[in-house]
Amino acid sequence: MANTETHSTLTNAPNANAIIDIRDLRKVYQLGKTSVEALRGVNFEVSEGEFTVVLGPSGSGKTTLLNIIGCLDRATSGTYRLDGEDVSQRDFNELAEVRNYKIGFIFQNFNLIPVLNVLENIEFPCLVRKEQQNRAELRERVRALCAEVGLERFMKHRPDELSGGQRQRVAIARALITQPRLVLADEPTANLDSKTSDQILELMQRLNRQHDTTFLFATHDPRVMDLARRTVRIKDGLVQPD
Amino acid sequence: MNILFQVALRNVFRNRRRSLFTLSALVVGLAVVLMITAVANSFHRFSVENAVNAKLGALQIHRSGYMNNLSLNPLSFKFEYSRDLLEKIESVRGVKAASGRIAFRGLVSNGRNQALFFANAVDVSREEKVCPRWLGALTLGSSALLSTDSAHAMVGHELARSLSVAPRAGVPAEGDASFIEAAPVEVASDTLNLSAASPEGRQNAVDVQVKATIRSLLPIEEKRSMVVPLSLAQSLLGMAGKVTEIAVAVDELDEISTVQRELQLVLGSEYEVSSWADVQPFLRDIVFRQRVMIAIVSVILFVLVLFVIANTMTMAVFERTREIGTMLSVGIKRGQIQTIFFSEALFVGVVGGFIGLVLGLVGVLITHRIGIPFGSVGFERGILRPFLTLEFVVAAFCVAVLCSGIAGIFPAKRAAGMNPVDALRSN
Ligand SMILES: Nc1ncnc2c1ncn2[C@@H]1O[C@H](COP(=O)(O)OP(=O)(O)OP(=O)(O)O)[C@@H](O)[C@H]1O
Ligand SMILES: [Mg+2]
């Protein structure tokens, strides 16, 4: 206990237990002559296995934050350590590799590849890797995941033959197939009705527990708060104190 | 199959209408290039064969220096027309036949008027083997020169008219000539007097009987030209046993340069061997210019096709921006995105190229079978038979595929250069 106390007081020392460790993160969008400061010095940590909800109104900077955490974007200033490593100096293809091996994404509008069926969409992140995959073993894992998210009867379907909830299940399975360190979900239920939303939320929580994967979940819906073990409130690009 | 190629292939089929459009641009482009080239080929072959078979012979042999001194005294380049020489020439591989000639000029008179003429004296017994169509187009009532003729001539139609001579009617037509009607001539007689100078400058004259009048598309030939037996020229010019030229027919016109080289080697530096192209440079230039024109048209067509493909591919890239963002989010590399779009363009290129190839070849085959009637009746009577060389077909196909590849590079680079966040935000 004494050890953790020291850590929180020494703000410059990295936290070894944290999967996400963000210090004084800023993001400025340049729009012609005007600039928008979407993040204004965010400090924030997420420990392994946590299910964290980032809650904030529209335009508060949730997507901006998640994009940086997901290595899709770079911060203007500040440090970000993913799994203990500073990724801010990595080049494009190195970041792609980080995304592929360490991060799973779940989006508001599902973002499946239309020409691939459910099976292929799920295995896609593994198939674009440099090293040769054991296809049979991969297929087995995909099937198991399909069963876990309740898609075993739809494996050969194309995305346009699925309902919104089913599509989001495919996206969840795709996010988990690489056994990532971190799953980022940016308003994954915003396009779903409340019943389907509840099912998806419940599924994500179950997977969080079973796979021991860290989940970071951004939403503007305060109802989701009840499900989270931990909530981080964000407003105008700043994390609000609890 | 690699997942990237699967994505590419399925996208080609997903947007069927657009793919079909790009495909047909390529198909039509390639097929048209093949067709016009084939027709042009047949036209060139026709023109060259026509010139070679009617007048020139594929190759001509002269004493060295003849070609460079045509304006001086060509007769001074005479040489022995011996059986030995003919056998030597005909023993060269690829040579079909050889025949001696004398080209000379002089004055022709009917007793009252006279005119300049250019005569070609031919070895009648051999000429047909070298120039199967040497008789050309004769007027009705004419008859062909025979190997037994010695004081006879075939005279340009206009020349005959200006001198009021015509072949005596009623002589049956012979030989492989076409006979066409001509305006009636006010006939005084069928006899003309030819006078010419020997190589040494001594004047001589001889009477000839007009056996035929020649029609031609070239006015100069109708007005000035004349064909006489070799023996007549030899005695008129005091050149017994001599000729100034030996025309040579070859088995394959396409291999003419090999035969030319071989002949030159066999005959040595005393003689010079010229091809139809050396003798008739303007014909070679016409052929060359037309080839350049067709090359330009082909390039324009391929560039158009390239733009069509590049344009539709760019549209596809913009439409699939969010898909690109999605793939980037799961960790695909820039090069892999390029691979997807590039292989889409290349796939269209290979398929379109193949269909275009088949269509073009079928078109060429059909027109080759049927033939395109060409030429004025009676003169260059003939049928064009479009054809292609294998080298050209392969090259055209490769260029078509290459074009679509090049067309794919820019859109593929654009797709690969996208920023993941912006790509994901787009709709
Ligand atoms: N690419 C961009 N260019 C310019 N400004 C941007 C860009 N992306 C976001 N912003 C701005 O940054 C701020 C934060 O945006 P962000 O998308 O992170 O908010 P959010 O919390 O995800 O909102 P929502 O709940 O509506 O998704 C907003 O003011 C937005 O206008
Ligand atoms: Mg957002």
Side-chain angles (χ1 to χ4, degrees):
Chain A
M1 274 313 275
N3 231 347
T4 33
E5 286 293 349
T6 1
H7 266 303
S8 50
T9 47
L10 289 171
T11 45
N12 282 328
N15 182 346
N17 295 328
I19 254 197
I20 300 170
D21 181 3
I22 282 171
R23 304 284 164 98
D24 199 26
L25 204 70
R26 285 167 198 278
K27 177 71 186 179
V28 180
Y29 288 111
Q30 209 65 43
L31 284 174
K33 285 195 182 111
T34 61
S35 52
V36 182
E37 205 171 6
L39 299 176
R40 302 188 294 156
V42 172
N43 289 293
F44 155 64
E45 278 176 18
V46 173
S47 308
E48 184 143 16
E50 267 189 333
F51 193 105
T52 309
V53 171
V54 177
L55 185 68
S58 182
S60 57
K62 303 182 296 293
T63 299
T64 305
L65 181 63
L66 256 65
N67 283 344
I68 294 170
I69 292 173
C71 297
L72 285 167
D73 205 355
R74 284 178 211 275
T76 310
S77 68
T79 59
Y80 164 40
R81 288 172 176 280
L82 171 67
D83 217 3
E85 285 177 85
D86 186 355
V87 290
S88 51
Q89 296 308 314
R90 302 281 177 92
D91 74 13
F92 189 92
N93 278 341
E94 285 168 351
L95 286 180
E97 210 141 283
V98 172
R99 290 196 293 273
N100 185 270
Y101 282 89
K102 296 202 165 174
I103 298 163
F105 288 92
I106 304 167
F107 298 98
Q108 176 179 341
N109 35 27
F110 322 126
N111 283 353
L112 301 177
I113 296 168
V115 293
L116 299 181
N117 67 27
V118 168
L119 260 173
E120 293 160 337
N121 258 292
I122 296 172
E123 65 186 353
F124 187 78
C126 292
L127 293 180
V128 300
R129 287 179 174 176
K130 256 207 307 282
E131 66 263 21
Q132 203 62 40
Q133 301 290 313
N134 180 341
R135 284 305 283 267
E137 188 235 356
L138 180 61
R139 272 283 148 100
E140 212 28 68
R141 272 173 45 218
V142 172
R143 264 178 238 284
L145 255 179
C146 272
E148 250 184 296
V149 300
L151 283 172
E152 55 275 72
R153 289 195 298 118
F154 301 95
M155 290 195 292
K156 294 282 175 203
H157 288 234
R158 292 267 173 104
D160 57 5
E161 299 160 347
L162 299 175
S163 72
Q166 287 167 333
R167 288 184 210 188
Q168 203 57 301
R169 287 165 195 270
V170 179
I172 291 169
R174 180 182 64 190
L176 289 170
I177 191 69
T178 57
Q179 295 166 315
R181 305 280 290 137
L182 177 66
V183 173
L184 300 173
D186 192 359
E187 310 206 34
T189 58
N191 280 0
L192 302 173
D193 61 56
S194 57
K195 193 167 151 258
T196 316
S197 294
D198 290 345
Q199 290 169 353
I200 292 292
L201 283 169
E202 195 213 317
L203 172 65
M204 294 206 323
Q205 286 188 303
R206 197 179 78 221
L207 292 169
N208 164 246
R209 269 179 264 119
Q210 283 170 2
H211 291 248
D212 212 19
T213 309
T214 313
F215 272 72
L216 190 63
F217 187 128
T219 181
H220 61 256
D221 183 359
R223 289 184 307 136
V224 178
M225 239 174 68
D226 313 336
L227 301 163
R229 277 185 240 159
R230 180 187 168 205
T231 305
V232 175
R233 289 170 193 275
I234 184 166
K235 198 175 173 225
D236 295 334
L238 280 172
V239 172
Q240 309 294 111
D242 291 322
Chain B
M1 193 181 16
N2 184 308
I3 190 79
L4 301 179
F5 293 133
Q6 267 179 51
V7 170
L9 208 62
R10 288 188 202 174
N11 271 302
V12 170
F13 287 104
R14 173 163 65 154
N15 216 320
R16 218 157 291 183
R17 276 256 297 280
R18 185 184 302 156
S19 299
L20 231 58
F21 177 71
T22 340
L23 211 68
S24 45
L26 192 60
V27 167
V28 170
L30 182 57
V32 165
V33 165
L34 291 178
M35 282 297 293
I36 58 173
T37 306
V39 171
N41 281 348
S42 68
F43 177 70
H44 295 153
R45 176 171 283 183
F46 180 84
S47 310
V48 170
E49 274 181 359
N50 205 62
V52 163
N53 289 338
K55 215 171 153 62
L56 299 179
L59 295 168
Q60 297 188 356
I61 296 164
H62 304 102
R63 274 272 301 284
S64 286
Y66 179 89
M67 290 296 288
N68 286 333
N69 294 289
L70 278 177
S71 54
L72 295 173
N73 183 3
L75 294 183
S76 65
F77 289 89
K78 63 184 193 274
F79 57 91
E80 196 69 31
Y81 184 45
S82 67
R83 185 148 295 282
D84 277 0
L85 183 62
L86 280 174
E87 274 170 8
K88 203 160 151 188
I89 292 166
E90 286 182 339
S91 68
V92 169
R93 240 177 65 153
V95 169
K96 197 152 75 181
S99 172
R101 295 167 172 175
I102 300 174
F104 68 103
R105 66 190 118 179
L107 289 171
V108 54
S109 154
N110 63 358
R112 281 161 293 143
N113 312 319
Q114 58 178 15
L116 187 70
F117 72 84
F118 299 107
N120 201 9
V122 299
D123 184 344
V124 176
S125 59
R126 290 179 155 266
E127 187 66 17
E128 191 179 350
K129 287 187 209 112
V130 176
C131 292
R133 296 189 39 219
W134 69 285
L135 287 171
L138 307 180
T139 55
L140 279 173
S142 298
S143 58
L145 279 184
L146 301 175
S147 53
T148 48
D149 290 338
S150 59
H152 300 84
M154 305 199 304
V155 181
H157 176 67
E158 279 299 317
L159 183 60
R161 204 151 79 151
S162 69
L163 295 171
S164 307
V165 292
R168 190 147 287 169
V171 184
E174 280 175 64
D176 175 27
S178 55
F179 294 90
I180 52 179
E181 228 156 333
V185 180
E186 215 180 287
V187 182
S189 76
D190 70 341
T191 318
L192 288 171
N193 181 271
L194 308 184
S195 72
S198 74
E200 296 77 28
R202 193 163 17 84
Q203 287 290 334
N204 196 7
V206 67
D207 278 345
V208 294
Q209 189 198 331
V210 176
K211 278 192 90 176
T213 56
I214 309 163
R215 301 234 55 183
S216 165
L217 285 175
L218 299 175
I220 182 81
E221 289 199 335
E222 291 209 333
K223 276 188 193 144
R224 295 274 178 250
S225 77
M226 200 178 278
V227 180
V228 298
L230 188 60
S231 54
L232 177 100
Q234 284 172 335
S235 67
L236 175 67
L237 300 167
M239 285 172 58
K242 304 270 205 277
V243 291
T244 55
E245 170 177 303
I246 291 180
V248 176
V250 296
D251 293 327
E252 281 298 333
L253 258 187
D254 295 335
E255 273 141 46
I256 188 167
S257 47
T258 321
V259 182
Q260 186 179 2
R261 233 177 303 122
E262 196 70 16
L263 257 177
Q264 187 69 67
L265 222 64
V266 168
L267 294 173
S269 60
E270 198 184 331
Y271 297 93
E272 61 189 14
V273 183
S274 318
S275 70
W276 63 265
D278 304 327
V279 178
Q280 233 32 322
F282 77 90
L283 184 58
R284 182 189 55 196
D285 290 350
I286 289 173
V287 169
F288 178 74
R289 253 173 243 156
Q290 276 175 351
R291 284 198 195 288
V292 170
M293 283 289 292
I294 283 169
I296 291 171
V297 170
S298 304
V299 167
I300 291 173
L301 275 174
F302 278 129
V303 168
L304 276 178
V305 168
L306 194 145
F307 272 102
V308 168
I309 299 178
N311 192 46
T312 46
M313 284 303 298
T314 306
M315 270 160 70
V317 168
F318 280 125
E319 263 172 34
R320 277 150 61 192
T321 301
R322 204 148 60 87
E323 209 176 304
I324 294 166
T326 303
M327 294 196 278
L328 287 169
S329 77
V330 303
I332 199 170
K333 307 271 172 66
R334 289 206 193 280
Q336 293 175 306
I337 290 181
Q338 255 182 60
T339 304
I340 291 177
F341 285 94
F342 186 70
S343 29
E344 277 177 44
L346 214 58
F347 179 76
V348 170
V350 171
V351 173
F354 189 73
I355 298 175
L357 193 74
V358 170
L359 221 68
L361 290 184
V362 167
V364 170
L365 211 72
I366 290 174
T367 49
H368 183 92
R369 279 271 168 78
I370 297 173
I372 306 168
F374 179 82
S376 318
V377 180
F379 293 107
E380 300 169 329
R381 69 219 143 93
I383 292 174
L384 296 185
R385 301 215 176 266
F387 70 97
L388 292 166
T389 59
L390 181 66
E391 290 92 333
F392 183 82
V393 172
V394 172
F397 176 77
C398 291
V399 168
V401 175
L402 199 74
C403 268
S404 41
I406 293 170
I409 291 176
F410 177 68
K413 282 224 181 295
R414 171 165 265 178
M418 280 185 183
N419 173 293
V421 175
D422 294 337
L424 281 166
R425 272 159 56 98
S426 88
N427 294 307

